[in-house]
Amino acid sequence: MDKLLIRGGRTLQGEVTISGAKNAALPELCAALLTAEPVTLANVPLLKDVSTTLKVLAQLGASSVRDPADASVVTVDASSITSTEATYDLVKTMRASILVLGPLLARFGIARVSLPGGCAIGSRPVDQHIKGLRAMGAEIRVEHGYIHATARRLKGARITTDMVTVTGTENLLMAATLAEGETILENAAQEPEITDLVDLLVSMGAQIEGRGTSRLRITGVERLHAPKVAHRIIPDRIETGTFLCAVAATGGDVTLRRADASHLDAVIDKLREAGVTVEAGADWIRVAAHQRPKAVSFRTSEHPLFPTDMQAQFMAVNCIAEGVARVTETIFENRFMHVNELVRLGAHIAVDGHTAIVEGIPRLSGATVMATDLRASASLVIAGLVADGTTTVDRIYHLDRGYDAMEVKLRAIGADIERIPG
């Protein structure tokens, strides 16, 4: 397995171009199943999770082609679906594969999708997906590790999920576009990636009201069509936030291109509280840090509050900040797995239930550490950038799931980092 070798202590200077959002690309690729016409998406990131999604679609009979002149442009053609089953061997590698369930059921009236299984950062049950689809008239049984769903045609319904669920909102939203009548989704997730999915679906002919709110009203249509122009995926706010945290930790002055600051208000507010300078325009963010950051406490929550996907990266900043910070995780019950690895680098962190108390120290010390999940990987890279000596980050296949050539981008702005083949 590949590793990253990082020689810490360098400040970061220059420019980075942010890639398209992973968490928008995955549901939008699955949305291509809703129509028999080819759907073209632009700004698709080159990630392992995207490749896995395309394999799932290929297993169903959909074809996909990357533009030879621009690999970030992908066209998916689901006109000749040969199967409505997503098997365990692919679904087990990526939980987002569950997003084929709603589109398959809505368009074809049948779907057999493997249960995603466990996840390192905690339980993410699909019961809310099933509850919503049943409310829309689907007959669903779960047996032998698979969700079996059938419906002659889904019917509009009022659905209130028991919790805010991003993939649940996406699955039910896509299913409702082809349902008969009106569907109202209450307690819908409000992440920017869902708003981007709404924009894609509307460009395909869907009738959706409530964009960007917790209440979505969908009037089903008979069929959807390909967008008249390629839909451009929004910038990845988590990649953006990760680079912001990297500069906050190491010091330096970096401009992020193709970035949207409006998607990261809570993170940017906390960085400014830490003493970091952040300026932004329509499609750029400049971050400058010329002194040791101040420790900042925060609590994760649903959008638009502080995102759980930025908790680990910001904790890495707190590790070398001045003062003591309390980091409280409210979304996933097992999302402090990076703490033990940060401690290996010399960090002073104590965990009490869902709260980590981080006492900042001036410098970390390089060591060999192991990535346990996607965002934990990023926190270890940030920590390695500020640690004395050499840090080796093992099991970086986690990192490749969600970051497009991270080490290449970091090296371009002054980091001493290289990938070592496994």
Side-chain angles (χ1 to χ4, degrees), residues 142-153:
V142 180
E143 59 185 19
H144 305 303
Y146 279 80
I147 301 169
H148 304 256
T150 57
R152 293 187 64 181
R153 185 182 180 188

Side-chain angles (χ1 to χ4, degrees), residues 142-414:
V142 180
E143 59 185 19
H144 305 303
Y146 279 80
I147 301 169
H148 304 256
T150 57
R152 293 187 64 181
R153 185 182 180 188
L154 293 173
K155 308 288 186 182
R158 179 183 295 271
I159 303 167
T160 303
T161 55
D162 298 334
M163 66 192 76
V164 178
T165 162
V166 174
T167 54
T169 298
E170 291 164 343
N171 236 339
L172 298 175
L173 171 63
M174 289 188 285
T177 61
L178 294 178
E180 181 181 350
E182 180 180 89
T183 299
I184 296 176
L185 297 182
E186 304 278 10
N187 201 29
Q190 302 175 62
E191 273 70 8
E193 295 81 10
I194 290 178
T195 301
D196 198 49
L197 175 61
V198 168
D199 290 343
L200 168 64
L201 293 171
V202 169
S203 75
M204 295 169 67
Q207 297 183 20
I208 305 171
E209 300 174 23
R211 177 184 182 276
T213 74
S214 62
R215 189 174 191 267
L216 297 173
R217 184 191 300 268
I218 309 103
T219 303
V221 297
E222 288 289 335
R223 61 182 55 84
L224 295 178
H225 307 279
K228 292 181 180 179
V229 296
H231 173 78
R232 184 172 183 83
I233 293 169
I234 59 173
D236 195 309
R237 62 193 171 101
I238 306 303
E239 182 190 26
T240 302
T242 300
F243 277 97
L244 293 177
C245 285
V247 178
T250 64
D253 191 331
V254 173
T255 298
L256 308 181
R257 300 294 181 188
R258 296 185 186 173
D260 192 333
S262 69
H263 295 166
L264 279 169
D265 287 341
V267 173
I268 289 173
D269 285 348
K270 289 296 180 181
L271 285 169
R272 286 172 173 157
E273 189 179 332
V276 178
T277 299
V278 183
E279 303 171 344
D283 62 351
W284 59 269
I285 304 173
R286 181 185 175 194
V287 54
H290 300 301
Q291 60 190 11
R292 186 180 172 191
K294 300 179 181 67
V296 175
S297 298
F298 62 92
R299 181 185 188 90
T300 65
S301 192
E302 291 85 3
H303 189 81
L305 301 179
F306 197 97
T308 181
D309 277 356
M310 281 302 305
Q311 178 252 105
Q313 300 92 309
F314 212 106
M315 185 183 289
V317 178
N318 276 329
C319 286
I320 52 87
E322 184 177 353
V324 178
R326 293 176 63 89
V327 176
T328 303
E329 174 61 50
T330 72
I331 306 299
F332 294 120
E333 70 273 15
N334 198 24
R335 205 162 200 178
F336 283 150
M337 295 177 69
H338 48 283
V339 167
N340 287 339
E341 300 304 303
L342 290 171
V343 168
R344 283 182 54 77
L345 297 171
H348 293 181
I349 308 171
V351 176
D352 181 10
H354 296 295
T355 299
I357 296 90
V358 185
E359 180 184 352
I361 58 176
R363 301 292 288 181
L364 298 175
S365 178
T368 297
V369 291
M370 181 178 68
T372 53
D373 63 70
L374 171 54
R375 306 309 173 186
S377 307
S379 75
L380 299 178
V381 171
I382 293 171
L385 291 174
V386 296
D388 289 329
T390 300
T391 297
T392 302
V393 183
D394 203 354
R395 295 177 64 180
I396 61 168
Y397 60 83
H398 290 292
L399 194 76
D400 294 336
R401 287 186 46 228
Y403 290 93
D404 186 349
M406 188 186 206
E407 76 278 9
V408 175
K409 293 181 179 182
L410 282 170
R411 197 160 50 242
I413 55 175

